[in-house]
Amino acid sequence: MRLGRSARAAIIGFALTLGAVACSTGGASTASAPPSAPANGGLEKTQLKIATLPAIDSAALYVAIDQGLFEKEGLEVTPQIVQAAPEAIPMLVKGEIDAMFGNYVSMFAAHDKNALKLRILAEGSRAAPDSLSIMALPNSPIKTPKDLEGKTINVNVLHNFQELALTQVLKANNVDPATIKYVQVTFQNIMPSWKDGQIDAAYLGEPMVTAATASMGARKILDPASGPAAEFPISGYVSTQGWYDENPKVSAAFQRAIHNAAKLMENNREVVAKVLPTFTQIDAGTAATVTFPYFSSNDNPVRLQRVADWMLEAKWLTKPIEVKSLMSPTTSG
């Protein structure tokens, strides 16, 4: 079945979302609050260049710009779009940008390898229920999570957040994750590979889940954002420790703007839908219906520690990371 314009845009938007990643409230806050942004030029600097992604997950940055939240803090923020988080890490280290939005798996891996000394300025996005899905075609023998054992599943990048979260959910469903074969498949090839039997089940996210269900009759087998991976932290806003030390007031002002944007987005999806067509290939019609991730209006070290612990368990890190030590104090409580 051929897809309509909105469905095709949905698939493109999903490709950008996970390709860039390889993406509400809740939880306790970190230590004491950072200093308030002083008036009359008290900030260390006022113009910031932030590397960001053409993905739904980074919407808080654009909402903060659109709603004047950075301006209220005395900041002028210029997004610089990159296609994947690893692309921006050298830019961050060289000081070509002030901060970046990226997935935690890539950030923690770089920190572990001493490629950068990481500072988390603010949490960004967390996986929401039904925003991700392991799906089977109508005629597939895969009916239950247990049927996934020994099967081949696509990921956009090996050893990244998709595989990390799914491993924990598989174990919780009495499925041996060691039996799963992951293959890296580009987004434009997911559907052909799936139809041709090169993958047994497809790892999809919204808005592609809806498109696959409507156009192919695909069935949901498992939610990778469920159980132990509920609200799995995907991406956030980070800089280097050196930049943070030089710009503590700017860091606090930036965090407040991001948190305030997330608070605004919690009960007003229209502000998100409004900005999505400006930095993604998701059209207005799709933006109005797609399932959003959670956007974090406070920062929770316990929640985020899961990522580092699971990476260590998977041997993707050479040593433990105490995430709380990398996080900025937060105004949220």
Side-chain angles (χ1 to χ4, degrees):
M1 182 182 298
R2 295 187 64 182
L3 299 180
R5 179 179 300 175
S6 292
R8 290 196 301 270
I11 291 174
I12 294 171
F14 169 68
L16 289 170
T17 299
L18 287 188
V21 167
C23 119
S24 76
T25 59
S29 60
T30 54
S32 58
S36 297
N40 302 321
L43 298 172
E44 294 88 2
K45 62 189 303 184
T46 59
Q47 295 185 334
L48 301 182
K49 185 181 293 185
I50 311 295
T52 185
L53 307 168
I56 296 174
D57 301 70
S58 59
L61 184 83
Y62 292 89
V63 169
I65 293 172
D66 183 66
Q67 297 293 318
L69 301 178
F70 286 127
E71 184 179 1
K72 182 183 292 187
E73 295 288 349
L75 297 174
E76 180 182 340
V77 172
T78 301
Q80 181 167 331
I81 292 180
V82 297
Q83 296 303 313
E87 179 184 336
I89 293 176
M91 299 163 61
L92 190 66
V93 173
K94 294 175 184 177
E96 297 172 356
I97 54 175
D98 296 285
M100 62 174 286
F101 180 84
N103 74 86
Y104 297 115
V105 174
S106 294
M107 299 299 98
F108 290 163
H111 182 82
D112 180 65
K113 296 173 184 176
N114 297 315
L116 81 162
K117 191 171 183 181
L118 184 66
R119 186 71 179 196
I120 300 169
L121 302 180
E123 286 195 56
S125 65
R126 313 191 307 278
D130 300 320
S131 61
L132 300 169
S133 185
I134 304 300
M135 305 196 77
L137 292 172
N139 59 351
S140 170
I142 300 173
K143 307 295 183 184
T144 69
K146 191 69 174 176
D147 295 332
L148 292 170
E149 287 190 339
K151 300 301 189 294
T152 299
I153 300 175
N154 65 288
V155 290
N156 62 307
V157 176
L158 294 173
H159 290 178
N160 214 287
F161 89 93
Q162 289 177 284
E163 186 177 340
L164 192 67
L166 182 57
T167 293
Q168 300 299 325
V169 177
L170 288 170
K171 290 192 293 186
N173 283 271
N174 194 33
V175 179
D176 182 2
T179 67
I180 305 296
K181 180 181 179 181
Y182 293 101
V183 294
Q184 186 167 317
V185 181
T186 59
F187 286 100
Q188 62 267 32
N189 288 325
I190 291 178
M191 294 304 183
S193 297
W194 198 10
K195 292 177 180 178
D196 292 345
Q198 297 173 33
I199 58 175
D200 300 305
Y203 199 144
L204 305 177
E206 281 288 21
M208 204 172 182
V209 171
T210 299
T213 302
S215 67
M216 303 168 63
R219 296 177 286 104
K220 180 177 180 177
I221 303 300
L222 189 62
D223 184 348
S226 63
E231 297 195 33
F232 181 73
I234 299 175
S235 301
Y237 301 87
V238 306
S239 190
T240 65
Q241 182 65 47
W243 186 91
Y244 175 85
D245 290 341
E246 294 175 1
N247 300 281
K249 297 173 184 177
V250 175
S251 300
F254 178 85
Q255 183 196 73
R256 279 194 299 274
I258 291 294
H259 284 176
N260 287 334
K263 290 174 184 176
L264 180 63
M265 296 156 72
E266 285 166 9
N267 300 310
N268 188 352
R269 68 172 287 125
E270 290 76 16
V271 299
V272 186
K274 176 185 176 184
V275 300
L276 286 183
T278 69
F279 69 98
T280 73
Q281 293 187 38
I282 298 175
D283 63 25
T286 303
T289 60
V290 68
T291 298
F292 297 152
Y294 291 132
F295 298 101
S296 298
S297 59
N298 62 18
D299 299 334
N300 186 324
V302 175
R303 180 171 62 212
L304 194 48
Q305 185 66 46
R306 282 187 296 170
V307 181
D309 290 347
W310 291 352
M311 290 179 69
L312 185 68
E313 180 183 323
K315 296 183 170 53
W316 296 358
L317 296 176
T318 62
K319 54 189 177 297
I321 291 178
E322 183 186 6
V323 173
K324 186 175 181 179
S325 68
L326 305 180
M327 299 180 73
S328 303
T330 179
T331 55
S332 302

